[in-house]
Amino acid sequence: MLFIDFSGPRSRPTPPRTRRRPPLAEATAVADPHAGHEVHATSTGLSNEKLGMWVFLSSECLLFGGLISTYLLLNKRSVAGPRPEDVFDIPFTSVSSFVLLMSSLTMVLAVSSITRGDIARNRLWLTTTALLGMVFIGGQVYEFTSFVKEGLGFTTNIFGSAFFTLTGFHGVHVSVGILMLLSLVGLSMRGKLGPERAETVEIVGLYWHFVDIVWIIIFTVVYLVA
């Protein structure tokens, strides 16, 4: 028997839509609210540059941890030559330390001003921070010179070697920070440091705050406790 289907043509099932997966570069990109373009971020939510600075500072913690530990182990073993109580000028070093700590405040103001787009104030605070750092380095040079005049050199005794190595390394780090700050000032004067590069100033600020915190530890351990 012949059966005829009068229900009409059957509609074909619509295949499910497949969502195109974005490329890796698109998946890991986040929008920069200042620049209007995309910057690449890591899985931590931080940019590659900021994450790199954090990793670098972590390695620096190991370096200064080793230097401070070495100083604590060796500073009491000197059998000849000046000892810490013979050469340290605590009031002078306290003033120098206060100057360096104030530079952290001006660095915070520099980051805040560039975030708001206030280029003139950002340049002012960056310059002020660099100048305060120079005052600290000048005080450290004066202190080292006075120690040498009193008979304490790098090779005088174990205390001298440990002290000059620890504080000298920190002084080098502060000097590098000053160069970074002056570089930012130079970029700002050429019109190449706007709100879209606020993270650059923040990264330099992370480094500067780090050297300030390290000095607090060094000043406490070397000058006040040990």
Side-chain angles (χ1 to χ4, degrees):
M1 181 178 293
L2 180 63
F3 293 95
I4 302 176
D5 187 2
F6 294 98
S7 61
R10 297 180 179 178
S11 59
R12 295 182 178 179
T14 303
R17 293 183 178 181
T18 58
R19 186 176 179 181
R20 184 179 68 88
R21 298 182 65 182
L24 181 60
E26 296 178 5
T28 58
V30 294
D32 185 353
H34 299 291
H37 62 274
E38 293 182 337
V39 295
H40 296 285
T42 62
S43 59
T44 61
L46 302 174
S47 66
N48 292 324
E49 293 79 7
K50 187 179 291 186
L51 180 61
M53 177 56 74
W54 278 114
V55 172
F56 170 74
L57 295 181
S58 299
S59 66
E60 290 292 283
C61 288
L62 298 177
L63 170 64
F64 280 103
L67 292 174
I68 293 173
S69 300
T70 302
Y71 176 83
L72 291 175
L73 291 173
L74 299 180
N75 72 318
K76 300 295 185 180
R77 297 187 180 183
S78 298
V79 295
R83 297 181 58 82
E85 58 272 14
D86 300 326
V87 294
F88 282 168
D89 186 353
I90 302 300
F92 176 83
T93 310
S94 299
V95 173
S96 181
S97 301
F98 177 76
V99 169
L100 186 63
L101 293 181
M102 287 300 298
S103 69
S104 276
L105 173 61
T106 57
M107 190 69 233
V108 170
L109 295 174
V111 174
S112 176
S113 59
I114 192 66
T115 303
R116 299 193 311 267
D118 193 341
I119 306 301
R121 289 188 179 274
N122 172 252
R123 193 180 305 158
L124 170 65
W125 293 124
L126 287 175
T127 305
T128 304
T129 305
L131 291 175
L132 291 175
M134 292 177 187
V135 172
F136 173 81
I137 291 297
Q140 194 171 48
V141 171
Y142 171 80
E143 185 181 50
F144 286 1
T145 303
S146 64
F147 287 177
V148 172
K149 290 180 179 179
E150 294 180 19
L152 180 66
F154 182 80
T155 59
T156 301
N157 52 29
I158 297 178
F159 158 66
S161 299
F163 171 81
F164 283 110
T165 300
L166 174 58
T167 56
F169 262 102
H170 180 265
V172 170
H173 281 73
V174 175
S175 300
V176 171
I178 293 172
L179 293 177
M180 295 167 67
L181 291 168
L182 294 178
S183 298
L184 292 180
V185 173
L187 289 174
S188 178
M189 296 185 68
R190 293 197 298 269
K192 297 182 179 180
L193 189 67
E196 72 281 356
R197 301 193 65 180
E199 187 179 76
T200 302
V201 181
E202 184 180 353
I203 291 173
V204 174
L206 288 175
Y207 177 87
W208 192 257
H209 294 317
F210 171 78
V211 297
D212 286 1
I213 292 173
V214 169
W215 180 251
I216 294 176
I217 299 173
I218 292 176
F219 177 72
T220 303
V221 171
V222 174
Y223 292 86
L224 302 181
V225 176

